Amino acid sequence: MTTSPDSTTPRSVLVTGANRGIGRAIAERFVAAGDRVASIDRAPSPSDLVPDGVLPVLGDVCDTASVDAAFTAVEEAHGPVEVLVANAGITRDGLLMRMSDEDFTTVLDTNLTGAFRVVRRASTSMVRRRSGRIVLIASVVGLYGGAGQTNYSASKAGLVGMARSITRELGGRGITANVVAPGFIDTAMTQGLPDDLKTKYLAAIPAGRWGTADDIAQTVEFLASPAAAYITGAVVPVDGGLGMGH
């Protein structure tokens, strides 16, 4: 059964990379709202299991056949994907002059081309239904820049062009495509930073605090809601003011 994005009927929601951090918080919010939620992840470790109420589906966003098989499994269980959150991503930081081709292309293939693969697959049913919500999880460094993150910044900046091109191509079919750009979020990744670096980063945030994964999840939930039906092609920074003007 298909539903309108304005309906209160539970929707089929797919979040890539929902086994930890931001992706996990996003999936948990949709579950709490009563939606049918699935996640595509590479084989997680026992400590990285997806949240309760989320259908775990194995898949690799770097492989088109794997993405197609994962979507087929989700569709059989929950119906066509009505809300897609492309969150899966990796980092391989390093100084530009020392960065290998592999480190650059692997990050681009996962973060940018991986998002393309899942959006392309989800858009097929969205076009037929003439409705859909696409949210791409980028980063403040996509526009702000980050030393030692040429690959990661390029991959996240590319998501902006992707969302805006999708909007121009599919906006007339009831499909929205938006980008959420988190700043420094309190996750395992930031907790592992050296204390002096954390102090430096915190001082640069006008809000004076780290963001939380739920700060991001609430924004994603809004962009997928009927209240955001006329918002598309937007970049929504959730960064405490860090990237103002960028």
Side-chain angles (χ1 to χ4, degrees), residues 16 40 42 59-64 67 88 109-110 113-115 117-118:
T16 64
I40 296 177
R42 293 176 180 172
D60 183 356
V61 299
C62 293
D63 181 86
T64 297
V67 167
D109 192 35
T110 301
T113 312
R117 291 185 184 101
V118 295

Side-chain angles (χ1 to χ4, degrees), residues 132-215:
R133 297 283 187 268
I134 297 167
V135 182
L136 310 178
I137 306 300
S139 169
V140 65
V141 301
L143 298 176
Y144 188 74
Q149 293 189 303
T150 302
N151 49 4
Y152 186 75
S153 298
S155 71
K156 295 302 186 178
L159 294 175
V160 176
M162 182 183 296
R164 290 178 171 169
S165 296
I166 293 165
T167 292
R168 295 194 183 279
E169 190 170 328
L170 303 180
R173 297 176 182 268
I175 299 168
T176 66
N178 292 292
V179 175
V180 173
F184 292 120
I185 307 301
D186 187 12
T187 63
M189 185 182 298
T190 54
Q191 289 168 5
L193 292 171
D195 288 342
D196 59 337
L197 198 55
K198 286 193 287 188
T199 299
K200 176 183 175 182
Y201 287 162
L202 189 59
I205 303 171
R209 69 170 178 87
W210 299 105
T212 68
D214 204 48
D215 287 327

Side-chain angles (χ1 to χ4, degrees), residues 12-246:
S12 173
V13 177
L14 176 59
V15 182
T16 64
N19 58 336
R20 64 171 69 181
I22 290 172
R24 186 181 188 92
I26 293 169
E28 288 174 337
R29 279 200 83 85
F30 282 115
V31 169
D35 290 312
R36 302 184 300 273
V37 185
S39 175
I40 296 177
D41 294 278
R42 293 176 180 172
S45 68
S47 62
D48 289 336
L49 296 179
V50 296
D52 291 341
V54 175
L55 173 69
V57 178
L58 293 180
D60 183 356
V61 299
C62 293
D63 181 86
T64 297
S66 179
V67 167
D68 185 60
F71 265 82
T72 298
V74 172
E75 290 164 345
E76 289 175 350
H78 291 169
V81 173
E82 298 163 88
V83 177
L84 172 67
V85 183
N87 166 75
I90 62 171
T91 59
R92 287 194 179 179
D93 294 350
L95 296 177
L96 174 65
M97 291 182 291
R98 298 176 184 173
M99 185 175 290
S100 67
D101 286 3
E102 181 184 4
D103 283 348
F104 187 86
T105 58
T106 299
V107 169
L108 266 289
D109 192 35
T110 301
N111 299 1
L112 182 58
T113 312
F116 160 73
R117 291 185 184 101
V118 295
V119 169
R120 179 178 59 185
R121 182 60 173 78
S123 67
T124 304
S125 61
M126 290 181 179
V127 167
R128 285 198 299 264
R129 298 178 62 257
R130 298 189 68 84
S131 67
R133 297 283 187 268
I134 297 167
V135 182
L136 310 178
I137 306 300
S139 169
V140 65
V141 301
L143 298 176
Y144 188 74
Q149 293 189 303
T150 302
N151 49 4
Y152 186 75
S153 298
S155 71
K156 295 302 186 178
L159 294 175
V160 176
M162 182 183 296
R164 290 178 171 169
S165 296
I166 293 165
T167 292
R168 295 194 183 279
E169 190 170 328
L170 303 180
R173 297 176 182 268
I175 299 168
T176 66
N178 292 292
V179 175
V180 173
F184 292 120
I185 307 301
D186 187 12
T187 63
M189 185 182 298
T190 54
Q191 289 168 5
L193 292 171
D195 288 342
D196 59 337
L197 198 55
K198 286 193 287 188
T199 299
K200 176 183 175 182
Y201 287 162
L202 189 59
I205 303 171
R209 69 170 178 87
W210 299 105
T212 68
D214 204 48
D215 287 327
I216 310 304
Q218 291 180 74
T219 305
V220 172
E221 183 180 38
F222 167 70
L223 290 173
S225 75
Y230 202 55
I231 300 174
T232 189
V235 180
V236 183
V238 188
D239 61 10
L242 175 65
M244 287 188 295
H246 295 278

